[in-house]
Amino acid sequence: MANAEFDLANGKMMIEPEVIAKIAGYAATMSYGVVGMAYRSKTDSVASLLKKENITKGIKVIVSEDGKITVNIHIIIEYGVNINVIGKSIIKSVKYQINHMTGLEVEQVNIHVEGFRVGEEQE
């Protein structure tokens, strides 16, 4: 996975995709209705809710050769919330936070709803 990089007056700055993933993860988990990030192993078809310290496992950042950033976010939501509204909110928040903190433009944010939680249970 390539680093995001751009030229400054006296050199270049490179940002690891892991840093961009952390920014996206925190922006997504702060959105209303999001229980947390999800991780689905290749051998298991059930999505697992990740703890905050593993937030980047539910996110994949792709930096193209021309510097365009695509972020794929896997989430678990609270039962009963409007998925469309949550998705739009997350996309807006993630794009804004990455741009605000790094100066980079995000071309695309893809939201993958992996499940929902009812009370304390996870479906």
Side-chain angles (χ1 to χ4, degrees):
M1 193 174 333
N3 292 334
E5 60 180 68
F6 50 95
D7 293 321
L8 300 173
N10 296 324
K12 289 188 177 196
M13 175 152 49
M14 292 182 277
I15 301 173
E16 293 281 334
E18 180 84 6
V19 173
I20 297 168
K22 281 187 180 183
I23 295 168
Y26 286 116
T29 56
M30 296 305 290
S31 297
Y32 174 79
V34 176
V35 174
M37 306 309 293
Y39 176 73
R40 188 183 301 243
S41 70
K42 292 178 181 175
T43 59
D44 192 6
S45 63
V46 177
S48 301
L49 183 63
L50 295 170
K51 295 182 180 180
K52 289 227 185 249
E53 58 269 8
N54 295 325
I55 202 166
T56 58
K57 282 189 178 180
I59 301 171
K60 183 175 182 182
V61 175
I62 302 165
V63 181
S64 66
E65 289 183 21
D66 57 353
K68 294 181 180 177
I69 297 173
T70 300
V71 182
N72 290 294
I73 301 174
H74 299 263
I75 60 170
I76 295 176
I77 61 170
E78 190 71 41
Y79 177 78
V81 295
N82 186 316
I83 296 172
N84 189 36
V85 171
I86 288 175
K88 287 178 182 177
S89 173
I90 293 169
I91 290 168
K92 184 177 178 182
S93 179
V94 167
K95 283 185 173 184
Y96 172 79
Q97 289 298 331
I98 291 173
N99 180 260
H100 177 72
M101 295 181 77
T102 67
L104 299 169
E105 292 292 327
V106 179
E107 180 180 44
Q108 190 174 13
V109 177
N110 301 311
I111 308 296
H112 305 267
V113 179
E114 298 290 346
F116 59 90
R117 183 177 74 177
V118 179
E120 293 300 313
E121 296 178 2
Q122 181 181 331
E123 291 295 322

